[in-house]
Amino acid sequence: MTLCLNPDCPNPENPESNKFCQYCGEKLFLDRSLDPTQTHSYRALQRLGAGGFSKTYLAVDESKSSKPRCIIKQFRQPKEGTQNIADLFREEVARLTEIGNHPQIPAVLASFNSGSQQYVVQEFINGQNLGQQLRKNGNFSETKIRQLLEELLPVLYFIHHHRLIHRDIKPENIIFCPSNYPSVNKKSHLFLVDFGAAKYATKTALAQVGTLIGSAEYTAPEQLRGKPTFASDIYSLGVTCIHLLTNVSPFDLFDSLEGKWIWQDYLLNPVSDSLARILNKMLASAVKKRYYSAEAVLKQLNPQVKLTTPVRQNKEEEKQEETAGETMSQSSVPLGRKNPPNREPKWKCVRTLRQENRATQVNAIAFSAQSRTLASGSWDGSILLWDLGTGELLQTLTGHNNGVLSLAIAPDGKVLASGSADGTIKLWDLWQLSPRELREGIAPVATHTLTGHTSVVSSVAICPDKQLLASGSRDRTVTLWTLNPPELRSTFSSENDRVTCVAFNPKWATRYPLRSHFLASGTAGGTIYFWQTDTGELQSEIAAHSREIYAIAISPDGTTLISASWDRTLKIWNLSTDDESDNFTPQLRDTLCPHVLPVVAVAIHPDGEIFATGSHDTTVQLWNLKTTQPIAMLSGHSRAVTSVAFSPDGNTLASASGDGTVKLWRCEW
């Protein structure tokens, strides 16, 4: 069956073979052109639900041979006097895009207009919600509830860090999916879905009485009064837990005459006192008596977890931090300079690059080796070129129909490659080799669009010999392209693992190609693959992490690889350099847990002595690569750091963030 998406259609059900609705005549396939050679065509299969201003459908992408399923959310114009639909749509897209890179939250695949309707397309999570699991398997055990809390509390910590309150946590919005994101300890994974009710928690918003949103059984008292807080989500998660433990409606678990919860009276098997205390505090009616954050609950479950909440709710504080360029220096290893006697280096933010009237998340940055310019790629599909000396915006490049996720500039500075969520890679001719030429001349143009991938292009890298381009995609492939001329050379399959990042060996020699001509790729399942680019053979694979790998970086001498994962670990690997050996066997050297939240970006300095990490906790940290000792922690961003990069001369470190800025850091004495 195919459903018509016309909101005014009297009978939307159609046979699967129909191209047009047999009742209203509307086109049944929702087409979204990505580029002249590729079109995504979505077909709605089933209506899943409806909210105040939107409807949700289960759909299939007919343009792909695998016919993957997805979720379509359709927005409709609200009644007169309420918020404009365009504003609602922009807010929804901003919410979902900002948090969609979390491995336990569905990713945004597309957002666009079709006719008079607005649409968001999201990843489909193929699993059972906890309500279905409860009906199928019966009451949850204490062990399962503890596992639920340990897996969901970090997700709440993440969205609260992004100043979002979910407002509708319940068993039906938690998906159990054992087959996705496999881990070495074989734990299942839980996904938090349906952020349509989510609300930004600014001081102004929290002071206002809002619309009542949420499921009454699970909703906190203050939220019922229209004033939700972060603690409201803690309450809803607590109610979810006692419902799963007892298999009794939450309405029946609260004694309204006594004004207290009596859920323990309905337990088939008693729970430990420690878990009971945790749940009862999550369920406290008064916000002041409840856990104030997901971090606080997590500490009770696991006292060894030490987290701080880096959320900034005051824009004036953010502005002051940005101006001050707050830094903490803990060691004395500068960039390419010797430490003067009795003096320590101070890391400072020397410039913040921010385009006026633009608050879209910056996902990627790349330095040009031939000029004092920096490229940045954003979620709105644009690429900005900046003058490092003045901070001036030189050019804005457009062409992608969705977010730019990765950038790479060739060593000679003449080619820029951009990978996008629209499934394409664009090559830009950078004939301009100075800021003046960029400022006064014709803007760089996209000379080629590479369309071999069938899903989001998550990472691109240009080979040191300037002859090859590598790209990694959620379609589970790594693709090699020749640059002159630009065409497909070969494709490597990572089996059932989505590719998240790729990196060439910087030490690209020709004498021993088996030891130097390799490409590394990281995956959503936590595996790192090493490919021999000359032959296409898989040299080695290692089960590096228990969760999604966000970033990998290889040292300039090709002897060290650093990998960062959602499991909050950073691992340093020694790569074999024995040219006479037939075996390529990376060996784990160190494991770090360097940030409060996962590291999503890694860069190694050109001299190979230090490296930088960027995290969801909004900070950048610098480390000694040899000793793994911290050098400095740099703060100033107000949202997650998404990318870090060193300039080719090693004098500047750049960091990009979800706050829409790029910061330039330098070491001063």
Side-chain angles (χ1 to χ4, degrees), residues 41-82:
S41 187
Y42 303 105
R43 179 168 63 89
L45 305 176
Q46 176 187 347
R47 179 171 162 177
L48 299 178
F53 308 118
S54 64
K55 293 179 181 178
T56 305
Y57 297 89
L58 175 64
V60 61
D61 188 348
E62 293 285 355
S63 65
K64 298 179 181 178
S65 58
S66 60
K67 301 269 192 288
R69 294 197 170 190
C70 55
I71 298 295
I72 292 177
K73 179 167 283 191
Q74 178 195 61
F75 289 76
R76 62 180 183 273
Q77 185 66 45
K79 295 179 181 179
E80 188 176 352
T82 58

mmCIF file of all heavy atoms in Angstrom, residues 41-82:
data_model
loop_
_atom_site.group_PDB
_atom_site.id
_atom_site.type_symbol
_atom_site.label_atom_id
_atom_site.label_comp_id
_atom_site.label_asym_id
_atom_site.label_seq_id
_atom_site.Cartn_x
_atom_site.Cartn_y
_atom_site.Cartn_z
ATOM 1 N N SER A 41 13.552 9.430 -3.876
ATOM 2 C CA SER A 41 12.115 9.322 -4.074
ATOM 3 C C SER A 41 11.523 8.521 -2.922
ATOM 4 O O SER A 41 11.775 7.326 -2.796
ATOM 5 C CB SER A 41 11.813 8.640 -5.418
ATOM 6 O OG SER A 41 10.449 8.673 -5.695
ATOM 7 N N TYR A 42 10.762 9.194 -2.067
ATOM 8 C CA TYR A 42 10.227 8.570 -0.870
ATOM 9 C C TYR A 42 8.756 8.198 -1.075
ATOM 10 O O TYR A 42 7.963 8.989 -1.585
ATOM 11 C CB TYR A 42 10.349 9.506 0.325
ATOM 12 C CG TYR A 42 11.767 9.969 0.592
ATOM 13 C CD1 TYR A 42 12.172 11.264 0.273
ATOM 14 C CD2 TYR A 42 12.709 9.107 1.151
ATOM 15 C CE1 TYR A 42 13.472 11.693 0.513
ATOM 16 C CE2 TYR A 42 14.002 9.523 1.397
ATOM 17 C CZ TYR A 42 14.379 10.815 1.068
ATOM 18 O OH TYR A 42 15.663 11.225 1.307
ATOM 19 N N ARG A 43 8.388 6.996 -0.629
ATOM 20 C CA ARG A 43 7.003 6.517 -0.732
ATOM 21 C C ARG A 43 6.503 6.188 0.668
ATOM 22 O O ARG A 43 7.098 5.368 1.373
ATOM 23 C CB ARG A 43 6.943 5.282 -1.639
ATOM 24 C CG ARG A 43 5.537 4.693 -1.786
ATOM 25 C CD ARG A 43 5.498 3.658 -2.910
ATOM 26 N NE ARG A 43 6.355 2.511 -2.645
ATOM 27 C CZ ARG A 43 5.961 1.421 -1.991
ATOM 28 N NH1 ARG A 43 4.729 1.350 -1.522
ATOM 29 N NH2 ARG A 43 6.797 0.412 -1.803
ATOM 30 N N ALA A 44 5.420 6.821 1.077
ATOM 31 C CA ALA A 44 4.860 6.605 2.418
ATOM 32 C C ALA A 44 4.115 5.279 2.463
ATOM 33 O O ALA A 44 3.296 4.980 1.593
ATOM 34 C CB ALA A 44 3.934 7.750 2.780
ATOM 35 N N LEU A 45 4.407 4.486 3.495
ATOM 36 C CA LEU A 45 3.789 3.165 3.638
ATOM 37 C C LEU A 45 2.710 3.127 4.700
ATOM 38 O O LEU A 45 1.697 2.440 4.550
ATOM 39 C CB LEU A 45 4.864 2.123 4.001
ATOM 40 C CG LEU A 45 6.062 1.996 3.076
ATOM 41 C CD1 LEU A 45 7.040 0.988 3.661
ATOM 42 C CD2 LEU A 45 5.627 1.579 1.686
ATOM 43 N N GLN A 46 2.918 3.855 5.793
ATOM 44 C CA GLN A 46 2.031 3.715 6.942
ATOM 45 C C GLN A 46 2.094 4.970 7.797
ATOM 46 O O GLN A 46 3.169 5.533 8.015
ATOM 47 C CB GLN A 46 2.473 2.500 7.770
ATOM 48 C CG GLN A 46 1.701 2.276 9.054
ATOM 49 C CD GLN A 46 2.309 1.154 9.887
ATOM 50 O OE1 GLN A 46 3.152 0.385 9.398
ATOM 51 N NE2 GLN A 46 1.897 1.041 11.131
ATOM 52 N N ARG A 47 0.952 5.416 8.248
ATOM 53 C CA ARG A 47 0.922 6.563 9.155
ATOM 54 C C ARG A 47 1.201 6.078 10.571
ATOM 55 O O ARG A 47 0.569 5.147 11.065
ATOM 56 C CB ARG A 47 -0.437 7.255 9.088
ATOM 57 C CG ARG A 47 -0.547 8.454 10.021
ATOM 58 C CD ARG A 47 -1.820 9.224 9.759
ATOM 59 N NE ARG A 47 -2.151 10.100 10.875
ATOM 60 C CZ ARG A 47 -3.180 10.931 10.897
ATOM 61 N NH1 ARG A 47 -3.983 10.984 9.838
ATOM 62 N NH2 ARG A 47 -3.418 11.685 11.940
ATOM 63 N N LEU A 48 2.168 6.732 11.229
ATOM 64 C CA LEU A 48 2.575 6.310 12.563
ATOM 65 C C LEU A 48 1.958 7.157 13.664
ATOM 66 O O LEU A 48 1.774 6.679 14.785
ATOM 67 C CB LEU A 48 4.105 6.359 12.685
ATOM 68 C CG LEU A 48 4.884 5.456 11.721
ATOM 69 C CD1 LEU A 48 6.374 5.644 11.930
ATOM 70 C CD2 LEU A 48 4.492 3.997 11.905
ATOM 71 N N GLY A 49 1.668 8.412 13.357
ATOM 72 C CA GLY A 49 1.110 9.261 14.398
ATOM 73 C C GLY A 49 0.940 10.682 13.916
ATOM 74 O O GLY A 49 1.318 11.037 12.795
ATOM 75 N N ALA A 50 0.373 11.516 14.769
ATOM 76 C CA ALA A 50 0.142 12.922 14.441
ATOM 77 C C ALA A 50 0.301 13.747 15.704
ATOM 78 O O ALA A 50 -0.104 13.338 16.795
ATOM 79 C CB ALA A 50 -1.239 13.127 13.836
ATOM 80 N N GLY A 51 0.928 14.912 15.550
ATOM 81 C CA GLY A 51 1.084 15.836 16.663
ATOM 82 C C GLY A 51 0.323 17.111 16.395
ATOM 83 O O GLY A 51 -0.571 17.157 15.539
ATOM 84 N N GLY A 52 0.686 18.181 17.133
ATOM 85 C CA GLY A 52 -0.031 19.430 16.972
ATOM 86 C C GLY A 52 0.073 20.008 15.582
ATOM 87 O O GLY A 52 -0.909 20.503 15.023
ATOM 88 N N PHE A 53 1.261 19.948 14.982
ATOM 89 C CA PHE A 53 1.473 20.571 13.684
ATOM 90 C C PHE A 53 2.115 19.621 12.681
ATOM 91 O O PHE A 53 2.615 20.056 11.651
ATOM 92 C CB PHE A 53 2.357 21.817 13.829
ATOM 93 C CG PHE A 53 1.864 22.782 14.860
ATOM 94 C CD1 PHE A 53 2.631 23.081 15.975
ATOM 95 C CD2 PHE A 53 0.625 23.385 14.734
ATOM 96 C CE1 PHE A 53 2.177 23.964 16.935
ATOM 97 C CE2 PHE A 53 0.168 24.275 15.692
ATOM 98 C CZ PHE A 53 0.939 24.567 16.792
ATOM 99 N N SER A 54 2.133 18.326 12.974
ATOM 100 C CA SER A 54 2.843 17.421 12.076
ATOM 101 C C SER A 54 2.217 16.032 12.076
ATOM 102 O O SER A 54 1.504 15.652 13.004
ATOM 103 C CB SER A 54 4.321 17.318 12.481
ATOM 104 O OG SER A 54 4.446 16.737 13.766
ATOM 105 N N LYS A 55 2.514 15.300 11.003
ATOM 106 C CA LYS A 55 2.157 13.891 10.903
ATOM 107 C C LYS A 55 3.431 13.104 10.611
ATOM 108 O O LYS A 55 4.343 13.601 9.939
ATOM 109 C CB LYS A 55 1.154 13.668 9.767
ATOM 110 C CG LYS A 55 -0.215 14.296 9.989
ATOM 111 C CD LYS A 55 -1.128 14.028 8.791
ATOM 112 C CE LYS A 55 -2.494 14.672 8.976
ATOM 113 N NZ LYS A 55 -3.365 14.461 7.790
ATOM 114 N N THR A 56 3.487 11.875 11.096
ATOM 115 C CA THR A 56 4.671 11.040 10.924
ATOM 116 C C THR A 56 4.301 9.776 10.163
ATOM 117 O O THR A 56 3.276 9.151 10.449
ATOM 118 C CB THR A 56 5.274 10.668 12.290
ATOM 119 O OG1 THR A 56 5.544 11.864 13.026
ATOM 120 C CG2 THR A 56 6.578 9.899 12.111
ATOM 121 N N TYR A 57 5.158 9.408 9.189
ATOM 122 C CA TYR A 57 4.900 8.255 8.338
ATOM 123 C C TYR A 57 6.119 7.345 8.284
ATOM 124 O O TYR A 57 7.272 7.814 8.304
ATOM 125 C CB TYR A 57 4.579 8.698 6.900
ATOM 126 C CG TYR A 57 3.335 9.536 6.766
ATOM 127 C CD1 TYR A 57 3.395 10.921 6.889
ATOM 128 C CD2 TYR A 57 2.100 8.952 6.483
ATOM 129 C CE1 TYR A 57 2.260 11.708 6.749
ATOM 130 C CE2 TYR A 57 0.954 9.732 6.337
ATOM 131 C CZ TYR A 57 1.043 11.109 6.477
ATOM 132 O OH TYR A 57 -0.078 11.874 6.332
ATOM 133 N N LEU A 58 5.872 6.059 8.203
ATOM 134 C CA LEU A 58 6.901 5.100 7.831
ATOM 135 C C LEU A 58 6.972 5.108 6.313
ATOM 136 O O LEU A 58 5.944 5.054 5.632
ATOM 137 C CB LEU A 58 6.553 3.706 8.328
ATOM 138 C CG LEU A 58 7.497 2.572 7.904
ATOM 139 C CD1 LEU A 58 8.886 2.771 8.495
ATOM 140 C CD2 LEU A 58 6.931 1.217 8.315
ATOM 141 N N ALA A 59 8.188 5.197 5.756
ATOM 142 C CA ALA A 59 8.336 5.333 4.308
ATOM 143 C C ALA A 59 9.499 4.481 3.825
ATOM 144 O O ALA A 59 10.233 3.871 4.612
ATOM 145 C CB ALA A 59 8.549 6.798 3.932
ATOM 146 N N VAL A 60 9.677 4.452 2.511
ATOM 147 C CA VAL A 60 10.778 3.731 1.882
ATOM 148 C C VAL A 60 11.395 4.635 0.831
ATOM 149 O O VAL A 60 10.692 5.410 0.162
ATOM 150 C CB VAL A 60 10.288 2.400 1.257
ATOM 151 C CG1 VAL A 60 9.253 2.657 0.170
ATOM 152 C CG2 VAL A 60 11.454 1.589 0.708
ATOM 153 N N ASP A 61 12.725 4.580 0.714
ATOM 154 C CA ASP A 61 13.434 5.347 -0.312
ATOM 155 C C ASP A 61 13.527 4.485 -1.570
ATOM 156 O O ASP A 61 14.371 3.596 -1.672
ATOM 157 C CB ASP A 61 14.823 5.749 0.175
ATOM 158 C CG ASP A 61 15.527 6.713 -0.778
ATOM 159 O OD1 ASP A 61 15.042 6.880 -1.906
ATOM 160 O OD2 ASP A 61 16.550 7.289 -0.375
ATOM 161 N N GLU A 62 12.656 4.747 -2.536
ATOM 162 C CA GLU A 62 12.573 3.930 -3.747
ATOM 163 C C GLU A 62 13.735 4.170 -4.699
ATOM 164 O O GLU A 62 13.938 3.407 -5.635
ATOM 165 C CB GLU A 62 11.251 4.211 -4.476
ATOM 166 C CG GLU A 62 10.012 3.760 -3.728
ATOM 167 C CD GLU A 62 9.829 2.257 -3.778
ATOM 168 O OE1 GLU A 62 10.615 1.583 -4.463
ATOM 169 O OE2 GLU A 62 8.892 1.740 -3.129
ATOM 170 N N SER A 63 14.512 5.236 -4.474
ATOM 171 C CA SER A 63 15.609 5.538 -5.394
ATOM 172 C C SER A 63 16.818 4.649 -5.163
ATOM 173 O O SER A 63 17.730 4.615 -5.987
ATOM 174 C CB SER A 63 16.014 7.008 -5.249
ATOM 175 O OG SER A 63 16.551 7.249 -3.966
ATOM 176 N N LYS A 64 16.851 3.923 -4.038
ATOM 177 C CA LYS A 64 17.992 3.067 -3.723
ATOM 178 C C LYS A 64 17.627 1.612 -3.949
ATOM 179 O O LYS A 64 16.501 1.189 -3.668
ATOM 180 C CB LYS A 64 18.428 3.286 -2.268
ATOM 181 C CG LYS A 64 18.897 4.715 -1.997
ATOM 182 C CD LYS A 64 19.298 4.890 -0.550
ATOM 183 C CE LYS A 64 19.744 6.316 -0.287
ATOM 184 N NZ LYS A 64 20.101 6.541 1.126
ATOM 185 N N SER A 65 18.579 0.866 -4.432
ATOM 186 C CA SER A 65 18.331 -0.542 -4.741
ATOM 187 C C SER A 65 17.965 -1.344 -3.502
ATOM 188 O O SER A 65 17.199 -2.306 -3.568
ATOM 189 C CB SER A 65 19.561 -1.155 -5.412
ATOM 190 O OG SER A 65 20.699 -1.037 -4.571
ATOM 191 N N SER A 66 18.500 -0.953 -2.345
ATOM 192 C CA SER A 66 18.221 -1.680 -1.111
ATOM 193 C C SER A 66 16.867 -1.314 -0.519
ATOM 194 O O SER A 66 16.422 -1.949 0.438
ATOM 195 C CB SER A 66 19.315 -1.396 -0.076
ATOM 196 O OG SER A 66 19.380 -0.015 0.214
ATOM 197 N N LYS A 67 16.217 -0.267 -1.075
ATOM 198 C CA LYS A 67 14.901 0.184 -0.607
ATOM 199 C C LYS A 67 14.879 0.370 0.921
ATOM 200 O O LYS A 67 14.053 -0.209 1.632
ATOM 201 C CB LYS A 67 13.822 -0.818 -1.006
ATOM 202 C CG LYS A 67 13.729 -1.044 -2.515
ATOM 203 C CD LYS A 67 12.746 -0.088 -3.149
ATOM 204 C CE LYS A 67 12.417 -0.483 -4.579
ATOM 205 N NZ LYS A 67 13.497 -0.254 -5.523
ATOM 206 N N PRO A 68 15.801 1.171 1.455
ATOM 207 C CA PRO A 68 15.836 1.343 2.914
ATOM 208 C C PRO A 68 14.606 2.083 3.431
ATOM 209 O O PRO A 68 14.061 2.971 2.768
ATOM 210 C CB PRO A 68 17.096 2.175 3.132
ATOM 211 C CG PRO A 68 17.245 2.950 1.871
ATOM 212 C CD PRO A 68 16.779 2.025 0.778
ATOM 213 N N ARG A 69 14.184 1.722 4.622
ATOM 214 C CA ARG A 69 13.049 2.402 5.235
ATOM 215 C C ARG A 69 13.526 3.665 5.956
ATOM 216 O O ARG A 69 14.682 3.768 6.357
ATOM 217 C CB ARG A 69 12.314 1.474 6.198
ATOM 218 C CG ARG A 69 11.646 0.311 5.483
ATOM 219 C CD ARG A 69 10.603 -0.362 6.332
ATOM 220 N NE ARG A 69 9.812 -1.309 5.542
ATOM 221 C CZ ARG A 69 8.717 -1.895 5.971
ATOM 222 N NH1 ARG A 69 8.271 -1.651 7.197
ATOM 223 N NH2 ARG A 69 8.049 -2.730 5.205
ATOM 224 N N CYS A 70 12.618 4.603 6.107
ATOM 225 C CA CYS A 70 12.935 5.860 6.762
ATOM 226 C C CYS A 70 11.654 6.408 7.391
ATOM 227 O O CYS A 70 10.573 5.831 7.244
ATOM 228 C CB CYS A 70 13.525 6.866 5.768
ATOM 229 S SG CYS A 70 12.482 7.177 4.327
ATOM 230 N N ILE A 71 11.794 7.503 8.095
ATOM 231 C CA ILE A 71 10.654 8.159 8.732
ATOM 232 C C ILE A 71 10.472 9.528 8.088
ATOM 233 O O ILE A 71 11.432 10.303 7.959
ATOM 234 C CB ILE A 71 10.883 8.329 10.245
ATOM 235 C CG1 ILE A 71 11.031 6.965 10.916
ATOM 236 C CG2 ILE A 71 9.746 9.124 10.872
ATOM 237 C CD1 ILE A 71 9.789 6.105 10.854
ATOM 238 N N ILE A 72 9.246 9.830 7.671
ATOM 239 C CA ILE A 72 8.923 11.144 7.106
ATOM 240 C C ILE A 72 8.051 11.894 8.103
ATOM 241 O O ILE A 72 7.046 11.367 8.577
ATOM 242 C CB ILE A 72 8.173 11.021 5.766
ATOM 243 C CG1 ILE A 72 9.088 10.437 4.681
ATOM 244 C CG2 ILE A 72 7.642 12.381 5.318
ATOM 245 C CD1 ILE A 72 8.379 10.229 3.365
ATOM 246 N N LYS A 73 8.444 13.108 8.420
ATOM 247 C CA LYS A 73 7.600 13.970 9.245
ATOM 248 C C LYS A 73 7.119 15.119 8.367
ATOM 249 O O LYS A 73 7.922 15.862 7.785
ATOM 250 C CB LYS A 73 8.370 14.493 10.450
ATOM 251 C CG LYS A 73 7.535 15.428 11.326
ATOM 252 C CD LYS A 73 8.184 15.685 12.676
ATOM 253 C CE LYS A 73 7.995 14.517 13.610
ATOM 254 N NZ LYS A 73 8.377 14.842 15.001
ATOM 255 N N GLN A 74 5.808 15.252 8.252
ATOM 256 C CA GLN A 74 5.184 16.288 7.424
ATOM 257 C C GLN A 74 4.620 17.383 8.332
ATOM 258 O O GLN A 74 3.885 17.107 9.272
ATOM 259 C CB GLN A 74 4.054 15.680 6.584
ATOM 260 C CG GLN A 74 3.301 16.677 5.725
ATOM 261 C CD GLN A 74 1.991 16.101 5.203
ATOM 262 O OE1 GLN A 74 1.114 15.744 5.983
ATOM 263 N NE2 GLN A 74 1.880 15.992 3.883
ATOM 264 N N PHE A 75 4.973 18.629 8.033
ATOM 265 C CA PHE A 75 4.482 19.764 8.808
ATOM 266 C C PHE A 75 3.329 20.422 8.068
ATOM 267 O O PHE A 75 3.358 20.560 6.839
ATOM 268 C CB PHE A 75 5.601 20.787 9.029
ATOM 269 C CG PHE A 75 6.650 20.308 9.982
ATOM 270 C CD1 PHE A 75 7.600 19.379 9.577
ATOM 271 C CD2 PHE A 75 6.694 20.770 11.275
ATOM 272 C CE1 PHE A 75 8.568 18.925 10.448
ATOM 273 C CE2 PHE A 75 7.663 20.323 12.156
ATOM 274 C CZ PHE A 75 8.592 19.398 11.735
ATOM 275 N N ARG A 76 2.346 20.847 8.812
ATOM 276 C CA ARG A 76 1.216 21.533 8.198
ATOM 277 C C ARG A 76 0.973 22.865 8.890
ATOM 278 O O ARG A 76 1.339 23.059 10.053
ATOM 279 C CB ARG A 76 -0.041 20.665 8.254
ATOM 280 C CG ARG A 76 -0.533 20.329 9.649
ATOM 281 C CD ARG A 76 -1.786 19.465 9.569
ATOM 282 N NE ARG A 76 -2.347 19.169 10.885
ATOM 283 C CZ ARG A 76 -1.983 18.157 11.629
ATOM 284 N NH1 ARG A 76 -1.047 17.331 11.203
ATOM 285 N NH2 ARG A 76 -2.543 17.947 12.809
ATOM 286 N N GLN A 77 0.345 23.779 8.167
ATOM 287 C CA GLN A 77 0.111 25.122 8.680
ATOM 288 C C GLN A 77 -0.848 25.085 9.861
ATOM 289 O O GLN A 77 -1.947 24.530 9.767
ATOM 290 C CB GLN A 77 -0.479 26.007 7.587
ATOM 291 C CG GLN A 77 -0.647 27.462 7.991
ATOM 292 C CD GLN A 77 0.697 28.150 8.229
ATOM 293 O OE1 GLN A 77 1.622 28.000 7.460
ATOM 294 N NE2 GLN A 77 0.793 28.894 9.310
ATOM 295 N N PRO A 78 -0.457 25.636 11.005
ATOM 296 C CA PRO A 78 -1.346 25.654 12.163
ATOM 297 C C PRO A 78 -2.468 26.671 11.991
ATOM 298 O O PRO A 78 -2.495 27.430 11.034
ATOM 299 C CB PRO A 78 -0.419 26.051 13.311
ATOM 300 C CG PRO A 78 0.650 26.865 12.648
ATOM 301 C CD PRO A 78 0.838 26.246 11.283
ATOM 302 N N LYS A 79 -3.379 26.665 12.945
ATOM 303 C CA LYS A 79 -4.493 27.598 12.887
ATOM 304 C C LYS A 79 -4.001 29.030 13.024
ATOM 305 O O LYS A 79 -2.943 29.306 13.569
ATOM 306 C CB LYS A 79 -5.495 27.277 14.006
ATOM 307 C CG LYS A 79 -6.170 25.921 13.857
ATOM 308 C CD LYS A 79 -7.125 25.670 15.002
ATOM 309 C CE LYS A 79 -7.786 24.291 14.866
ATOM 310 N NZ LYS A 79 -8.707 24.015 15.998
ATOM 311 N N GLU A 80 -4.825 29.941 12.538
ATOM 312 C CA GLU A 80 -4.470 31.353 12.567
ATOM 313 C C GLU A 80 -4.225 31.802 14.004
ATOM 314 O O GLU A 80 -4.939 31.419 14.929
ATOM 315 C CB GLU A 80 -5.618 32.164 11.957
ATOM 316 C CG GLU A 80 -5.270 33.642 11.767
ATOM 317 C CD GLU A 80 -6.389 34.392 11.074
ATOM 318 O OE1 GLU A 80 -7.335 33.731 10.617
ATOM 319 O OE2 GLU A 80 -6.300 35.617 10.999
ATOM 320 N N GLY A 81 -3.200 32.611 14.163
ATOM 321 C CA GLY A 81 -2.898 33.135 15.489
ATOM 322 C C GLY A 81 -1.817 32.356 16.211
ATOM 323 O O GLY A 81 -1.339 32.776 17.249
ATOM 324 N N THR A 82 -1.433 31.177 15.669
ATOM 325 C CA THR A 82 -0.355 30.403 16.287
ATOM 326 C C THR A 82 0.931 30.622 15.507
ATOM 327 O O THR A 82 0.964 31.320 14.504
ATOM 328 C CB THR A 82 -0.698 28.905 16.316
ATOM 329 O OG1 THR A 82 -0.939 28.470 14.977
ATOM 330 C CG2 THR A 82 -1.943 28.668 17.144
#
